Amino acid sequence: MTALFAFDPASLMTLALLVWIFSGIACGLLAGAARLSSLISGAGSMLACAAVMIAAVQMLNGSAPAILTLPALPYHASFSPVNALLLLAMSVTAFFSSLYACAWLANARPHQRARTGLSGNLLLAALTAAAISANAVELILMMEIAALCAYFLIVQADDVKSRRAGQNQFLSGRIGTLCLILAFALLHHASGSLDFEVLRHTTFTPGTKSLAFLLALAGFGLYAGIIPLHAWVPQSHSSAPAHIAALFSSALMKIGIIGIVKIGLDLLGAPPLWWGLLVLLLAMLTAFIGGLYALMEHDIRRLLAYHSLENVGIILLGIGGAMVGVALHQPLLASLALLAGLFHLFNHGLFKTALFLGAGEIEMQTGIKDMEKLGGIARVMPWTAVAMLIALMSMAALPPLNGFASEWLLYQSLFQLSASQVFIARLLGPLLAVGLALTGALALMCIAKVFGVTFSGAPRSQAAAEASPAPRAMTISSVLLALLCVISGVASPWIIPYFAAVAASVLNEPVLQAAGHGAAFSTTSAVSVPMIAILLLGMPLLPWIIAMVLRGSRLPDRSRGDAWACGYGHSAEMVVTATGFAQPLRVMFAPLYRLRQQMTPAPLVAALHRSGLGTFCRRLALIELAVLLVVAFA
């Protein structure tokens, strides 16, 4: 037991896993005591997240990569820089989600509190164990447990929408797991082992490598939500509690992304060129379609889920660029692209968690997720409005926030790709840069839609008019995440070297000098995010100072009143709606929107959601989770 109180990464990881498990069980047993059980679950999860953060920072700050057995647990863990980065990205966002959960669980029904507290903590424990897995058996087992916990978190509400969302996630997860089993079974047949260290040093035939890569890409892609393997994502994010939906985006889907990094750049050796090109094309499709579908949504959490798909595509642009760089023997391109992808993976978790938690605050105080029925929320929930505005600006990659810092590096990697000597790379580089710019434009439109329709104007329903500020723990969680978006953007020149070191460890290349003297740069250009922040603060400040000095008493202070409506009396019906805002794009891209309906015909949907199949899936999920937990503890 003394080892559990040590501060080395292995002991801290053991402590975190045990705290998650026992605090979740305690929440389930004490669900009748609202305050006590919610405090045990939320505070216990925050303690576990803090332990994981400390362990991850230690691993990033010089601890040598190692494979160890965790103290008191029969689990072989791999401590490497890329695993540490994944742990840090998951635990930071999970910490604030757990703070939010303290207030949410206290207001939930006892049965819902028990299920969410237990399944949520088990989800985090399984994802953390998957992040440090040292062999394929552990990875698949923990990902399967995490997916089953996610299923029970989705189907809490006894309604048709919730059951359908859970059934989609259950079927997608099982197909993903089957693909991963087939991929690693193929590798085991060729190498005789499922340990990642053995696979890493085994030479496979080109056919074996390519088939295993395609199977693993499908399996990890289902978890990550790559389009067209994304069917479970929007419904699941809308049906689960808001802090759980945040974990889906910031943790569960990130496991799939890091899995693609491992299989494409680490375990199978140098990838052929077509692997990277395939990932780049899927990435661009995911980013553009995700952003386009997001603009059509009125359910604020479905909208954010589609934007998670957009950002998954942006992250994969970096990963695909790195694979192309390795295949073309261009270490600068590979290092810069992978650095950009990993940095955006971390940044996306921050701003997307802030957005989901803010949306959860609005839903809890109004009972509404449909933006058409909101409006005027900024007057009654100002701190939530500010936090969501900052997170939305970060999502749209506006300077000086963290989304801009990582996407700037990604643009630089695409410019490097366009300078390649290979024709297909010279062709794709500019096209992908234009596509990334288009997704940025869609994200900017989303800022206007979400913030304008939800927070501005007049309330469109009685519930919106009578809304009140959310519990303090919820508001603090979203505000602190928004503050981290600002800090990680302004301080990006000092943060980037850590991500560059992680990228170098994956590629076995020297560390890329992508930051220095307060600026992030490549061989072609440089940008100082701190200087941008200073200029953006100074630009509105200077005119205000001039006006205050020169106006004297000639100009009275402005008075507040109704918005000007061309001489007519202002009414709530005049305010722009979410439908009207997106209507031009709906007309312009009508064939793409019809494609979704054509790809999911009504008879197929009806067959998949028969009540008998849903009941079978629910019972099978319960049996499978019980068996896998016994196997995991054994």
Side-chain angles (χ1 to χ4, degrees), residues 14 96 125-126 136-137 151 155 168 268 279 305 330 380 406 423 474 525 534 549 561 572 617:
T14 302
F96 294 103
V137 174
Y151 168 81
V155 296
N168 283 345
L268 299 182
V279 172
Q330 296 184 12
V380 293
S406 50
F423 172 75
M474 293 183 171
S525 58
I534 293 171
V549 171
C617 288

Side-chain angles (χ1 to χ4, degrees), residues 184-238:
F184 284 107
L186 185 63
L187 297 179
H188 178 268
H189 177 74
S191 66
S193 176
L194 289 172
D195 288 341
F196 293 152
E197 193 62 28
V198 175
L199 297 178
R200 196 173 285 119
H201 294 94
T202 301
T203 301
F204 298 100
T205 63
T208 299
K209 282 178 58 173
S210 295
L211 182 56
F213 171 76
L214 291 174
L215 287 168
L217 180 63
F220 288 123
L222 278 161
Y223 279 91
I226 296 175
I227 291 177
L229 307 175
H230 68 291
W232 69 274
V233 176
Q235 296 174 333
S236 299
H237 283 71
S238 179

Side-chain angles (χ1 to χ4, degrees), residues 482-495:
L483 182 61
L484 284 178
C485 290
V486 177
I487 293 173
S488 59
V490 175
S492 59
W494 296 276
I495 298 174

